[in-house]
Amino acid sequence: MPETEGKEEAQIRGSIKKKSLPDAETFSQGILSGDIVLLSRAITLIESTLPSHQELAEAILEKCLPHSGKSIRVGITGIPGVGKSTFIESFGNHLIEQGRKIAVLAVDPTSQLSKGSILGDKTRMETLSRKKEAFIRPSPSGDSLGGVARKTRETIFLCEAAGFDTILVETVGVGQSETAVNSMVDIFLLLLIAGAGDELQGIKRGIMEMADLIAITKADGENTARANRAKAETISAVHFLPTHESGIKTEVRTCSAVTGEGISEIWTEIINFIQAIRDKGYLDKKRKEQAKHWLHESVQSMLLDDFFSKLGNDFHKAEELVTQGLAGSYQTARRLVKYYKNEDNQI
């Protein structure tokens, strides 16, 4: 276990041990009444790897699940430097002015290497973090993508049960985490920046295809003309992408988090999109597919954990044989699985 991961686990244990843990009923009732302290402590239980904490977290989730599902879930991504945190702060403040309650969650599978990128969100979103209608929660560091994503999905349910009607799930950059986030939100917003040469450079085609809405940020001052050109180029690029399963065309807008220009239009586009997919029955279908996807992910994750836990040193010995070229990867994997299933008494 990496040293940073061990320290984090110790901090989680310590923060929970300082106070005696309430039971699942107390937790769930507190969350349903909007108690942010109990919400935060419940999320810490979700993030913990201690079996007793996981058991309590599952009991809390079971009680809160019937009260979840009523929010608008928005995934937000963009290349480094696009200004995600600045955008989210401006966007979040606008939503609060509209009477919304928002929760900002982060998915960061690489945070064990770039700790400041996520843990700094709360300080960068200074005005938003002071609002009682906002809840900002960074993802735990030192975890796999699947683990962080699963914890984020469970955190969404708790935040919804606590009365947050808009969930913003932020990814750190453009990469593998976007697929995971797309599998837990209703609409996926891609932020692009104008004035950085080729606006589409570095953006994977898959990310563009996933985007339900695209916003060109920093469209203010001398950058306004460049932002409008980037918008035209992006519209042209989107035209050649496959049509979404929802059947709704990906819109492209410009905005400025500094001046607030275009922020309300982004929210209008999101509302229109959600209404359209709800009317078509696609929203319900998508959430059911997501639930099925996470069932599969959870089963795979639990089986892998159990597999590596039971095999222990035997797996490392098998790894050594493969890396030294003394055994084939596929054949060794098959023997390991048979050994795990007690179909063979040796590897």
Side-chain angles (χ1 to χ4, degrees):
M1 177 183 291
E3 186 181 349
T4 53
E5 197 168 341
K7 285 180 180 178
E8 179 180 324
E9 182 61 25
Q11 288 172 352
I12 289 174
R13 294 184 192 186
S15 66
I16 295 178
K17 281 182 179 179
K18 284 178 184 176
K19 301 177 183 177
S20 59
L21 283 171
D23 58 18
E25 181 65 26
T26 303
F27 262 114
S28 61
Q29 289 303 315
I31 290 168
L32 292 175
S33 67
D35 188 324
I36 298 302
V37 174
L38 282 179
L39 171 62
S40 298
R41 293 184 72 191
I43 294 171
T44 302
L45 287 170
I46 287 174
E47 294 168 356
S48 174
T49 57
L50 293 178
S52 60
H53 291 169
Q54 290 180 347
E55 187 178 339
L56 179 55
E58 286 172 11
I60 296 167
L61 279 164
E62 189 175 344
K63 290 179 179 296
C64 289
L65 201 57
H67 305 278
S68 66
K70 299 180 180 67
S71 77
I72 292 176
R73 305 168 183 171
V74 184
I76 301 175
T77 191
I79 59 174
V82 78
K84 288 188 293 294
S85 294
T86 308
F87 170 83
I88 289 172
E89 177 163 51
S90 178
F91 187 59
N93 282 321
H94 172 74
L95 296 187
I96 289 171
E97 288 172 6
Q98 304 301 306
R100 313 285 300 187
K101 286 186 67 179
I102 69 164
V104 181
L105 312 176
V107 172
D108 179 19
T110 60
S111 57
Q112 57 183 320
L113 300 177
S114 58
K115 303 171 187 66
S117 63
I118 277 299
L119 300 181
D121 273 2
K122 212 158 186 176
T123 54
R124 288 203 299 271
M125 301 177 195
E126 197 172 343
T127 61
L128 186 60
S129 64
R130 291 199 296 262
K131 301 283 180 67
K132 68 180 188 314
E133 300 89 351
F135 177 73
I136 302 174
R137 181 79 181 198
S139 62
S141 62
D143 206 338
S144 66
L145 171 61
V148 174
R150 176 185 61 77
K151 292 166 184 176
T152 301
R153 178 171 165 79
E154 291 170 353
T155 299
I156 288 174
F157 295 146
L158 292 187
C159 288
E160 289 176 338
F164 292 97
D165 53 32
T166 311
I167 313 293
L168 307 181
V169 185
E170 175 196 7
T171 71
V172 174
V174 175
Q176 192 182 2
S177 58
E178 274 59 41
T179 303
V181 171
N182 193 40
S183 68
M184 65 179 84
V185 298
D186 304 322
I187 179 169
F188 198 59
L189 170 61
L190 171 63
L191 303 180
L192 298 179
I193 186 172
D198 181 359
E199 273 71 35
L200 302 182
Q201 188 175 353
I203 298 292
K204 294 181 180 178
R205 179 185 173 93
I207 305 296
M208 294 285 288
E209 289 177 353
M210 275 192 282
D212 299 300
L213 176 62
I214 298 175
I216 313 296
T217 64
K218 303 184 181 181
D220 49 55
E222 296 179 356
N223 211 38
T224 303
R226 285 192 291 267
N228 288 330
R229 283 198 299 273
K231 176 183 175 181
E233 292 170 6
T234 307
I235 290 172
S236 177
V238 166
H239 178 71
F240 293 101
L241 296 176
T243 305
H244 277 267
E245 188 182 352
S246 65
I248 299 173
K249 186 182 77 169
T250 300
E251 296 292 340
V252 182
R253 293 287 179 266
T254 59
C255 67
S256 167
V258 175
T259 66
E261 189 75 27
I263 295 295
S264 63
E265 285 77 10
I266 299 292
W267 178 238
T268 299
E269 290 292 347
I270 290 173
I271 291 295
N272 290 343
F273 178 87
I274 296 297
Q275 189 58 53
I277 62 173
R278 182 176 284 124
D279 291 345
K280 296 175 72 170
Y282 181 74
L283 178 61
D284 183 56
K285 176 187 174 185
K286 184 174 185 178
R287 287 198 174 184
K288 285 178 179 176
E289 287 297 319
Q290 289 174 344
K292 187 165 71 174
H293 167 81
W294 285 103
L295 171 63
H296 290 190
E297 287 287 324
S298 298
V299 169
Q300 289 178 36
S301 175
M302 289 177 187
L303 283 174
L304 279 175
D305 287 345
D306 189 56
F307 177 85
F308 289 119
S309 174
K310 285 187 176 177
L311 265 66
N313 287 331
D314 288 328
F315 181 79
H316 296 306
K317 289 175 184 175
E319 270 186 325
E320 201 63 33
L321 291 173
V322 171
T323 55
Q324 290 178 9
L326 300 175
S329 298
Y330 180 79
Q331 292 81 359
T332 302
R334 187 166 57 183
R335 288 200 298 271
L336 285 169
V337 170
K338 291 181 77 172
Y339 180 71
Y340 168 73
K341 292 165 64 179
N342 294 321
E343 293 177 1
D344 203 339
N345 58 7
Q346 63 178 5
I347 298 175

